[in-house]
Each structure stands twice: as structure tokens, then as C-alpha cells.
Amino acid sequence: MKQRNAMVAVWTALFIAIGATLSLAMPDSKSPLKGDPFVLSKNELKPGERRPVVVSPEAVEVRLFVDGLPFRESSHVQALMNDTEGLRLSRAQREILDRSLTRHRLSPSESDATPACYDPHHFFRYFDAKGERIGELEVCYCCRQVRLYAPDQKLNEGEIWEFDFEGAAKLLKAMNVPTDINCPGRG
């Protein structure tokens, strides 16, 4: 009996402590709770939602740079790798690229497992009017993953970048740039 009373006392004390902690953490009715993890901010997506992303809308120029191990590639690809200026995208090409990237918030049933390969060979670099780089989109056709470096574009927890690899492949083909650089048969 004493043991039962002691357990009831412990549980009661635990519930009181939890209640006191929660009451201290909860805001009063006059101040809204900031950073509430249960409320989506304006830039967060709902599970399963996709939103198109323009990497650096203020960029006046986008250029494609190609990198990799040149000794494994044709002389044409080696020349692309040695081009320090990159290939400038036309307005139409930029529009295709701008439509190729989306943010996607995974739904609970989706997995965010990614292949271990990630060795990108296509780099779309964004430049401002001063000629300074303000963003970069790395594309790996070997494992079909992308990474984005732009100060105004960040993923929230549970989100991934999705890329239209087929649409961009058509763009690259029109530019005479192969997608299977250093990953033959997989690009």
C-alpha cells in the first residue's frame, strides 16, 4: 500500500512539474507565440507541396561551366572543361533553366534518401550587373541530384530540391554539352 501511495505521489509531482513548465513556456494572451513549430511560416511548404524556384531572379547573366576529369573525356568535353568564361545562356535557355527547379516538402510517406555519388559536372553560375557571382546551381547527372547556393534560397526542414533533369538535358544537348560527363551511360 505504501509503495502504491509513493508511486501516486511521484506521478502527481511529475504531472505538476510538466504543467508548471508548460505554463511558463506558453505565452500570455497578449503576445503571440513566435517560432511556433506547429504553424507554417509564409515560405514553408505543406507536406507534398511543390513550389517553383528561380535561383537568383536579380541575376543579369547565367553561365554554364563544365568540370570533371578531362583525360576520360573527348576533346570537345575537355575544351568545355578548360573554358574559364563558361557558356552564356540566352534568354530562352535561362527561361528553361528557371522552370527546372522546385522546392518540395516531403510528405510523411516519402523518403529523402539520396545516393552517395554526388559528383556534379554541370555548374550554372548566376552573375549580377557588376559581374559578381550571386548564386550557383550544381547538377549531378550521375546520381540525379542538385545543390543550390544562393543567399535568398534556403530549404526548410523536410524539404528537398527537385530538378527537371530531362528538360535541362534537352537544353544541354542544344548547347552541345553532354550530360554523361565522367559517368558514361548514366547521364
Side-chain angles (χ1 to χ4, degrees):
M1 188 72 155
K2 287 183 181 183
Q3 192 174 18
R4 182 175 166 210
N5 289 340
M7 286 299 287
V8 169
V10 168
W11 281 105
T12 302
L14 182 62
F15 286 130
I16 291 172
I18 290 172
T21 303
L22 287 175
S23 69
L24 292 174
M26 298 298 268
D28 60 355
S29 59
K30 295 176 185 168
S31 65
L33 181 61
K34 293 181 181 176
D36 186 346
F38 302 108
V39 177
L40 293 176
S41 71
K42 287 195 295 188
N43 68 345
E44 285 186 88
L45 306 175
K46 297 175 187 165
E49 183 181 359
R50 288 173 172 78
R51 186 175 299 156
V53 172
V54 176
V55 175
S56 292
E58 67 280 3
V60 297
E61 182 178 54
V62 179
R63 289 184 259 158
L64 169 64
F65 293 82
V66 177
D67 195 14
L69 301 172
F71 61 87
R72 293 184 178 176
E73 298 297 334
S74 68
S75 59
H76 170 66
V77 173
Q78 288 180 25
L80 291 170
M81 290 178 187
N82 291 328
D83 183 358
T84 58
E85 296 298 312
L87 300 171
R88 186 174 183 190
L89 273 65
S90 69
R91 181 179 302 262
Q93 291 168 329
R94 168 115 187 241
E95 287 174 6
I96 292 169
L97 184 63
D98 286 347
R99 289 191 307 264
S100 67
L101 186 67
T102 57
R103 278 177 46 209
H104 172 65
R105 184 173 189 88
L106 299 171
S107 62
S109 62
E110 294 176 296
S111 167
D112 65 347
T114 58
C117 150
Y118 195 71
D119 187 16
H121 301 292
H122 301 84
F123 301 86
F124 294 94
R125 295 185 178 142
Y126 295 73
F127 297 89
D128 65 11
K130 298 176 191 172
E132 295 178 17
R133 186 172 11 166
I134 57 173
E136 179 171 278
L137 175 63
E138 296 179 350
V139 180
C140 180
Y141 271 91
C142 301
C143 67
R144 300 178 74 78
Q145 294 293 314
V146 296
R147 288 195 182 143
L148 178 62
Y149 302 96
D152 57 341
Q153 300 292 345
K154 302 286 184 216
L155 290 175
N156 293 311
E157 187 175 336
E159 294 180 353
I160 61 170
W161 297 117
E162 286 188 345
F163 188 70
D164 178 8
F165 286 93
E166 288 73 27
K170 291 175 186 173
L171 167 69
L172 292 171
K173 185 176 181 180
M175 297 174 74
N176 199 21
V177 177
T179 58
D180 64 348
I181 296 171
N182 293 156
C183 56
R186 294 182 287 161

